[in-house]
Protein backbone atom coordinates (compact mmCIF):
# COMPACT_ATOMS: atom_id res chain seq x y z
CA UNK A 1 0.00 0.00 0.00
CA UNK A 2 1.37 3.37 -0.94
CA UNK A 3 1.71 6.17 1.58
CA UNK A 4 -0.72 9.03 2.15
CA UNK A 5 0.62 12.57 1.83
CA UNK A 6 -1.46 15.52 3.04
CA UNK A 7 0.49 18.03 0.95
CA UNK A 8 0.53 15.95 -2.24
CA UNK A 9 2.74 13.07 -3.28
CA UNK A 10 6.45 14.05 -3.29
CA UNK A 11 6.85 12.45 -6.72
CA UNK A 12 4.20 14.58 -8.46
CA UNK A 13 6.72 17.26 -9.55
CA UNK A 14 8.64 14.48 -11.35
CA UNK A 15 5.60 12.89 -13.02
CA UNK A 16 6.79 13.56 -16.58
CA UNK A 17 10.27 12.19 -15.87
CA UNK A 18 8.83 9.03 -14.33
CA UNK A 19 6.55 8.49 -17.32
CA UNK A 20 9.50 8.88 -19.68
CA UNK A 21 11.28 5.85 -18.19
CA UNK A 22 8.59 3.58 -19.63
CA UNK A 23 8.42 1.45 -16.48
CA UNK A 24 6.31 1.65 -13.33
CA UNK A 25 6.12 -0.50 -10.21
CA UNK A 26 2.58 -1.50 -11.16
CA UNK A 27 4.22 -3.56 -13.92
CA UNK A 28 5.63 -5.86 -11.22
CA UNK A 29 2.12 -6.39 -9.86
CA UNK A 30 0.98 -7.35 -13.35
CA UNK A 31 3.89 -9.78 -13.57
CA UNK A 32 2.92 -11.32 -10.23
CA UNK A 33 -0.70 -11.84 -11.31
CA UNK A 34 0.36 -13.51 -14.58
CA UNK A 35 3.24 -15.87 -13.64
CA UNK A 36 3.89 -17.09 -17.20
CA UNK A 37 4.14 -13.54 -18.50
CA UNK A 38 5.95 -12.37 -15.37
CA UNK A 39 8.82 -14.81 -15.82
CA UNK A 40 9.54 -13.17 -19.18
CA UNK A 41 10.51 -10.05 -17.22
CA UNK A 42 13.09 -11.95 -15.17
CA UNK A 43 16.57 -10.53 -15.73
CA UNK A 44 15.43 -7.40 -17.57
CA UNK A 45 16.97 -4.06 -16.66
CA UNK A 46 14.80 -1.01 -16.07
CA UNK A 47 15.12 2.56 -14.85
CA UNK A 48 12.60 4.27 -12.59
CA UNK A 49 12.21 7.02 -10.05
CA UNK A 50 10.66 6.58 -6.64
CA UNK A 51 10.70 7.27 -2.93
CA UNK A 52 12.32 5.07 -0.30
CA UNK A 53 9.52 4.22 2.12
CA UNK A 54 11.38 1.64 4.23
CA UNK A 55 15.03 0.72 4.65
CA UNK A 56 16.60 -2.10 6.62
CA UNK A 57 20.30 -2.91 6.56
CA UNK A 58 22.00 -6.22 7.29
CA UNK A 59 25.62 -7.26 7.83
CA UNK A 60 26.59 -10.19 5.62
CA UNK A 61 28.87 -13.08 6.56
CA UNK A 62 31.67 -11.15 4.85
CA UNK A 63 31.05 -8.23 7.23
CA UNK A 64 29.67 -6.05 4.45
CA UNK A 65 26.43 -4.10 4.44
CA UNK A 66 23.44 -4.88 2.25
CA UNK A 67 19.94 -3.46 2.44
CA UNK A 68 16.29 -4.33 1.97
CA UNK A 69 14.36 -1.39 0.59
CA UNK A 70 10.74 -0.67 -0.20
CA UNK A 71 10.45 1.62 -3.21
CA UNK A 72 7.26 3.50 -3.98
CA UNK A 73 6.23 5.38 -7.10
CA UNK A 74 2.92 6.89 -8.25
CA UNK A 75 1.53 3.47 -9.16
CA UNK A 76 2.54 1.17 -6.31
CA UNK A 77 5.41 -0.20 -4.28
CA UNK A 78 7.89 -3.07 -4.47
CA UNK A 79 10.71 -4.70 -2.55
CA UNK A 80 14.24 -3.97 -3.71
CA UNK A 81 17.51 -5.57 -2.70
CA UNK A 82 20.77 -3.63 -2.44
CA UNK A 83 23.79 -5.88 -2.42
CA UNK A 84 27.11 -4.74 -0.87
CA UNK A 85 28.74 -3.59 -4.12
CA UNK A 86 25.84 -1.23 -4.83
CA UNK A 87 25.50 -0.15 -1.20
CA UNK A 88 29.14 0.90 -1.04
CA UNK A 89 28.67 3.18 -4.05
CA UNK A 90 25.17 4.48 -3.44
CA UNK A 91 24.41 4.38 0.30
CA UNK A 92 24.40 8.19 0.51
CA UNK A 93 21.24 8.30 -1.61
CA UNK A 94 19.36 5.61 0.29
CA UNK A 95 17.44 6.97 3.24
CA UNK A 96 13.80 6.82 4.28
CA UNK A 97 11.72 9.40 2.37
CA UNK A 98 14.63 9.96 -0.02
CA UNK A 99 13.74 10.52 -3.68
CA UNK A 100 15.87 8.33 -5.91
CA UNK A 101 16.38 7.39 -9.55
CA UNK A 102 17.55 3.81 -9.92
CA UNK A 103 18.74 1.31 -12.47
CA UNK A 104 17.61 -2.16 -11.46
CA UNK A 105 17.34 -5.74 -12.61
CA UNK A 106 14.00 -7.49 -12.26
CA UNK A 107 13.93 -10.79 -10.40
CA UNK A 108 10.68 -12.61 -11.19
CA UNK A 109 11.23 -16.18 -10.11
CA UNK A 110 8.47 -18.72 -9.78
CA UNK A 111 6.74 -18.86 -6.39
CA UNK A 112 8.28 -15.50 -5.36
CA UNK A 113 6.91 -11.99 -5.59
CA UNK A 114 8.81 -10.03 -8.26
CA UNK A 115 11.46 -7.74 -6.81
CA UNK A 116 14.14 -5.32 -7.95
CA UNK A 117 17.88 -5.80 -7.61
CA UNK A 118 19.38 -2.32 -7.55
CA UNK A 119 22.45 -1.77 -9.71
CA UNK A 120 22.85 2.01 -9.40
CA UNK A 121 21.15 4.78 -7.42
CA UNK A 122 21.17 8.56 -7.91
CA UNK A 123 19.27 11.53 -6.54
CA UNK A 124 15.99 12.01 -8.40
CA UNK A 125 16.28 15.79 -8.07
CA UNK A 126 19.78 15.79 -9.54
CA UNK A 127 18.67 13.64 -12.47
CA UNK A 128 15.66 15.88 -13.08
CA UNK A 129 17.77 19.05 -13.08
CA UNK A 130 20.63 17.53 -15.04
CA UNK A 131 23.03 17.88 -12.13
CA UNK A 132 23.63 14.17 -11.60
CA UNK A 133 27.24 13.28 -12.08
CA UNK A 134 28.52 10.40 -14.14
CA UNK A 135 28.31 6.92 -12.72
CA UNK A 136 31.29 5.97 -10.53
CA UNK A 137 34.21 4.35 -12.30
CA UNK A 138 33.52 1.02 -10.60
CA UNK A 139 29.83 1.01 -11.51
CA UNK A 140 28.81 -1.97 -13.65
CA UNK A 141 28.30 -1.10 -17.32
CA UNK A 142 24.73 -0.93 -18.60
CA UNK A 143 23.83 -4.43 -19.76
CA UNK A 144 22.56 -5.08 -23.24
CA UNK A 145 18.81 -5.50 -23.34
CA UNK A 146 17.78 -7.62 -26.32
CA UNK A 147 14.44 -5.85 -26.45
CA UNK A 148 15.90 -2.36 -26.47
CA UNK A 149 17.79 -2.21 -29.78
CA UNK A 150 21.09 -0.35 -29.51
CA UNK A 151 19.99 1.91 -26.66
CA UNK A 152 21.28 0.87 -23.20
CA UNK A 153 17.87 1.59 -21.67
CA UNK A 154 14.55 1.28 -23.52
CA UNK A 155 12.57 4.49 -24.02
CA UNK A 156 9.38 2.44 -24.02
CA UNK A 157 7.91 -0.23 -21.81
CA UNK A 158 9.26 -3.62 -22.95
CA UNK A 159 6.46 -6.08 -23.60
CA UNK A 160 7.03 -9.68 -22.56
CA UNK A 161 7.41 -11.96 -25.57
CA UNK A 162 4.24 -13.66 -26.77
CA UNK A 163 3.98 -17.41 -26.69
CA UNK A 164 2.35 -18.77 -29.80
CA UNK A 165 1.15 -22.11 -31.04
CA UNK A 166 0.67 -22.42 -34.78
CA UNK A 167 0.85 -18.65 -35.09
CA UNK A 168 -1.98 -18.19 -32.59
CA UNK A 169 -1.16 -16.43 -29.27
CA UNK A 170 -1.49 -18.70 -26.26
CA UNK A 171 -2.80 -17.02 -23.09
CA UNK A 172 -0.60 -17.13 -19.97
CA UNK A 173 -0.95 -20.22 -17.82
CA UNK A 174 -3.43 -19.99 -14.97
CA UNK A 175 -3.68 -21.73 -11.61
CA UNK A 176 -6.69 -23.77 -10.52
CA UNK A 177 -7.05 -24.43 -6.79
CA UNK A 178 -9.09 -27.49 -5.73
CA UNK A 179 -9.95 -28.07 -2.08
CA UNK A 180 -11.20 -31.36 -0.63
CA UNK A 181 -12.63 -31.94 2.79
CA UNK A 182 -10.74 -34.57 4.79
CA UNK A 183 -14.10 -36.20 5.50
CA UNK A 184 -14.42 -37.24 1.85
CA UNK A 185 -12.79 -40.22 0.11
CA UNK A 186 -9.74 -38.20 -0.92
CA UNK A 187 -7.92 -40.97 -2.89
CA UNK A 188 -11.05 -41.57 -4.98
CA UNK A 189 -11.50 -37.84 -5.56
CA UNK A 190 -7.88 -37.50 -6.66
CA UNK A 191 -8.26 -40.36 -9.15
CA UNK A 192 -11.35 -38.69 -10.62
CA UNK A 193 -9.51 -35.36 -10.80
CA UNK A 194 -6.52 -36.99 -12.54
CA UNK A 195 -8.79 -38.62 -15.08
CA UNK A 196 -10.55 -35.33 -15.73
CA UNK A 197 -7.23 -33.52 -16.19
CA UNK A 198 -5.95 -36.23 -18.54
CA UNK A 199 -9.01 -35.86 -20.74
CA UNK A 200 -8.53 -32.08 -20.93
CA UNK A 201 -4.77 -31.51 -21.38
CA UNK A 202 -3.36 -28.01 -21.17
CA UNK A 203 -0.72 -25.78 -19.64
CA UNK A 204 -2.66 -24.59 -16.60
CA UNK A 205 -1.46 -25.57 -13.13
CA UNK A 206 -3.76 -27.47 -10.74
CA UNK A 207 -3.14 -27.37 -6.98
CA UNK A 208 -5.00 -29.63 -4.56
CA UNK A 209 -5.56 -28.93 -0.86
CA UNK A 210 -7.08 -31.18 1.79
CA UNK A 211 -8.52 -29.73 4.99
Amino acid sequence: MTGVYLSGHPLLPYKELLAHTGFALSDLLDAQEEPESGQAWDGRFVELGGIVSTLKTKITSNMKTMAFVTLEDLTGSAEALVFPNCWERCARYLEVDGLVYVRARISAREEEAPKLILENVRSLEEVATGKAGAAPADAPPPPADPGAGTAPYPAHRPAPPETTRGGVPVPPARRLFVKFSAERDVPSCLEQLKALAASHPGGDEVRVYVE
Side-chain angles (χ1 to χ4, degrees):
M1 182 176 68
T2 57
V4 177
Y5 303 92
L6 299 180
S7 59
H9 201 291
L11 294 174
L12 283 177
Y14 307 96
K15 187 175 181 179
E16 290 186 9
L17 173 62
L18 301 186
H20 183 69
T21 67
F23 179 82
L25 292 177
S26 57
D27 293 331
L28 291 185
L29 178 60
D30 295 339
Q32 183 175 1
E33 293 177 347
E34 299 181 4
E36 192 73 18
S37 175
Q39 289 177 29
W41 287 84
D42 188 48
R44 292 196 177 211
F45 286 80
V46 296
E47 288 190 331
L48 68 148
I51 182 171
V52 178
S53 57
T54 69
L55 171 68
K56 181 180 180 181
T57 58
K58 175 185 177 181
I59 304 300
T60 69
S61 57
N62 294 328
M63 301 305 294
K64 293 186 176 182
T65 302
M66 67 174 294
F68 301 86
V69 174
T70 302
L71 280 180
E72 174 189 330
D73 67 5
L74 294 172
T75 69
S77 61
E79 179 186 356
L81 299 182
V82 187
F83 289 115
N85 60 341
C86 181
W87 177 262
E88 291 172 2
R89 292 184 283 103
C90 307
R92 63 186 182 277
Y93 298 119
L94 292 168
E95 59 182 9
V96 175
D97 294 333
L99 303 183
V100 294
Y101 189 88
V102 306
R103 183 173 80 233
R105 174 172 55 86
I106 297 176
S107 175
R109 299 178 180 177
E110 190 175 0
E111 304 300 333
E112 292 183 7
K115 61 176 68 69
L116 299 172
I117 311 298
L118 300 193
E119 299 285 342
N120 196 30
V121 184
R122 291 177 288 171
S123 161
L124 180 60
E125 181 180 1
E126 291 179 354
V127 172
T129 58
K131 296 179 180 179
D138 59 347
D145 188 334
T150 58
Y153 307 111
H156 63 281
R157 182 171 302 176
E162 242 181 6
T163 302
T164 61
R165 184 181 299 129
V168 179
V170 177
R174 297 166 296 178
R175 286 179 179 172
L176 173 64
F177 297 89
V178 180
K179 182 169 64 176
F180 292 130
S181 169
E183 298 176 355
R184 302 190 61 175
D185 183 358
V186 175
S188 176
C189 290
L190 288 176
E191 288 301 320
Q192 295 180 48
L193 182 60
K194 288 170 62 177
L196 182 62
S199 63
H200 297 81
D204 294 345
E205 179 182 354
V206 179
R207 295 193 174 189
V208 179
Y209 294 87
V210 178
E211 67 172 22

